[in-house]
Amino acid sequence: MLPAGAEAITVYAMFRNLAPVILGNIVGGSVLVALVYHVIYLRPAQTGK
């Protein structure tokens, strides 16, 4: 037995929802990883004293 409103969920609606989510995760992840690398390599090198 399907829950109420289950017939409104279509493959098209699923992909219409997933497309911006996937793109947002790719862009957001790229920005966060780039920011971490930027912060790491922005620090001055330690001399080991």
Side-chain angles (χ1 to χ4, degrees):
M1 212 168 156
L2 293 174
E7 64 276 353
I9 300 171
T10 63
V11 174
Y12 172 73
M14 183 182 72
F15 283 115
R16 199 178 84 202
N17 183 38
L18 280 177
V21 170
I22 291 171
L23 289 174
N25 284 338
I26 290 170
V27 171
S30 301
V31 169
L32 288 176
V33 169
L35 180 65
V36 168
Y37 277 115
H38 176 73
V39 168
I40 288 172
Y41 289 109
L42 188 66
R43 287 192 259 165
Q46 296 179 356
T47 59
K49 288 183 177 181

